[in-house]
Amino acid sequence: MHGLKVSVAEILGHPGNFRDISIDAELTQVGNALVHEADLPLRGRLRAEAVVEGVLVTGDVATMVDASCARCLREVNEEISLEVVELFVGEGHEVPDEDEVYEVEGFEIDLEPMLRDAVTLALPLNPLCRSDCKGLCAHCGKDLNEGPCSCRQEEIDPRWAALSELRDRLG
Ligand SMILES: [Zn+2]
Ligand SMILES: [Zn+2]
């Protein structure tokens, strides 16, 4: 991974000073159950601002993922945009009891782990090819977007059969 280590030498220790960073990189091997693990192109603009505790990174990044529709498994391309607000803790400043703590390393911050975490959290858990996707028939697996399958008929038939049998017996 290149290009995501950013020098903060000029702003570190000068709260209020900042530098803008344009992100044009690839995050390697990101995915989840429905989002195919892949190297994701990442674009965006971030600002690294010196604060008393270290460096605060804010801004927006976007990426594009290939996923499978959660209902019909068709391929979906989904754009993910996310807002980033993360503190990189400077030397000598302790931030206890936080799950993810990013730190200023010397005069650099490495944005890669932070962006990887943020993108992973933002991956769609329920990607859909379209909001009204009808999905696959649970019985025969037919894509119901292409039309009804014949299962419904078969499902109803035995019940009608049982009913008419009952009716026959009562009658
Ligand atoms: Zn679908
Ligand atoms: Zn069916």
Side-chain angles (χ1 to χ4, degrees):
M1 173 109 269
H2 304 285
L4 286 174
K5 286 200 171 173
V6 175
S7 168
V8 290
E10 284 168 22
I11 61 168
L12 199 63
H14 303 284
N17 287 15
F18 61 83
R19 62 166 295 188
D20 289 327
I21 306 152
S22 71
I23 302 290
D24 186 352
E26 264 192 355
L27 274 187
T28 53
Q29 299 296 299
V30 185
N32 68 17
L34 286 164
V35 176
H36 310 314
E37 195 166 278
D39 297 348
L40 301 182
L42 199 63
R43 309 248 182 289
R45 292 200 63 80
L46 297 177
R47 170 166 291 186
E49 182 180 352
V51 292
V52 174
E53 300 84 4
V55 176
L56 184 67
V57 176
T58 56
D60 296 288
V61 289
T63 187
M64 199 74 159
V65 298
D66 288 327
S68 298
C69 172
R71 292 183 196 156
C72 73
L73 303 180
R74 206 176 291 203
E75 290 291 306
V76 201
N77 287 311
E78 201 162 314
E79 191 181 325
I80 303 176
S81 308
L82 54 139
E83 214 186 301
V84 171
V85 182
E86 288 294 346
L87 176 68
F88 285 74
V89 180
E91 249 174 76
H93 293 274
E94 291 294 321
V95 177
D97 296 337
E98 282 206 17
D99 291 340
E100 304 293 346
V101 177
Y102 309 105
E103 289 177 65
V104 179
E105 297 155 14
F107 292 101
E108 281 186 338
I109 52 176
D110 184 1
L111 299 174
E112 203 268 343
M114 181 272 280
L115 289 171
R116 172 179 294 276
D117 292 344
V119 169
T120 303
L121 279 177
L123 292 178
L125 293 172
N126 194 27
L128 294 177
C129 62
R130 54 182 218 224
S131 58
D132 64 345
C133 172
K134 294 186 175 74
L136 304 178
C137 170
H139 296 280
C140 70
K142 183 181 157 74
D143 186 343
L144 299 176
N145 296 306
E146 289 165 7
C149 63
S150 48
C151 292
R152 196 152 297 183
Q153 201 68 39
E154 287 161 23
E155 242 174 68
I156 291 164
D157 274 348
R159 268 183 261 156
W160 281 121
L163 250 181
S164 54
E165 198 181 305
L166 187 69
R167 211 177 291 141
D168 287 348
R169 256 189 279 159
L170 292 174

